[in-house]
């Protein structure tokens, strides 16, 4: 059941990105996807395995749910966040997407804990919140960098 739940979450987050009216160029989104994936994989490895702040459930359905969450759900939330934030000039829209991105990532982190996909040892929701904010900041910085690169190299139509 946990796999079905996280497939639904991944599908929802992909649909949010695909239904955006304005999107960054495909090359920017592809580079941003790769940059986010590098950080998410390293975050999971360092926090879970090296520092042992949480334990990853080795049960196959739970592990697949973690992969779906880490590789699709969070990545597409952050890409949608960067697309809306960088292409909108309205403060209300920027605030709204920031609240959405932060809130849904925090709720999905709680869902991972509730379904015992991640078993917290020295990890808590404050650590989770700080990590989400750092990931959002990282996404914006690299999104802006890749957007600048696209305009300089002529990738924008």
């Amino acid at each position: 059941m946990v796999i079905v739940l996280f497939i639904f979450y991944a599908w929802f987050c992909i649909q949010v990105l695909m239904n955006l009216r304005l999107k960054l160029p495909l090359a920017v989104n592809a580079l941003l996807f790769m940059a986010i994936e590098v950080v998410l994989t390293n975050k999971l490895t360092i926090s879970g395995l090296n520092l042992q702040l949480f334990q990853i459930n080795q049960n196959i359905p739970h592990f697949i749910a973690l992969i779906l969450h880490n590789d699709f759900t969070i990545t597409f939330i952050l890409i949608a966040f960067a697309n809306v934030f960088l292409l909108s000039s309205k403060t209300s829209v920027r605030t709204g997407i920031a609240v959405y991105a932060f809130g849904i990532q925090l709720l999905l982190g709680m869902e991972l804990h509730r379904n015992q996909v991640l078993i917290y040892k020295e990890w808590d929701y404050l650590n989770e919140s700080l990590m989400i904010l750092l990931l959002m900041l990282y996404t914006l910085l690299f999104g802006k960098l890749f957007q600048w690169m696209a305009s300089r190299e002529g990738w924008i139509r």
Side-chain angles (χ1 to χ4, degrees), residues 86-137:
L86 293 174
L87 294 176
S88 177
S89 58
K90 288 185 172 181
T91 305
S92 61
V93 173
R94 287 180 165 189
T95 304
I97 193 65
V99 169
Y100 159 78
F102 179 81
I104 197 164
Q105 285 183 79
L106 189 60
L107 288 173
L108 289 172
M110 290 176 181
E111 193 71 22
L112 284 174
H113 179 62
R114 188 178 73 81
N115 286 307
Q116 295 187 350
V117 175
L118 293 179
I119 301 152
Y120 291 173
K121 291 181 176 178
E122 296 179 31
W123 191 255
D124 57 12
Y125 295 121
L126 177 64
N127 292 341
E128 185 78 26
S129 299
L130 291 173
M131 188 62 71
I132 290 168
L133 290 174
L134 288 172
L135 281 170
M136 290 171 65
L137 182 63

Side-chain angles (χ1 to χ4, degrees), residues 68-84:
L68 285 168
H69 171 77
N70 203 49
D71 290 347
F72 293 102
T73 309
I74 296 302
T75 307
F76 282 100
I77 290 169
L78 290 171
I79 291 173
F81 167 67
N83 275 268
V84 173

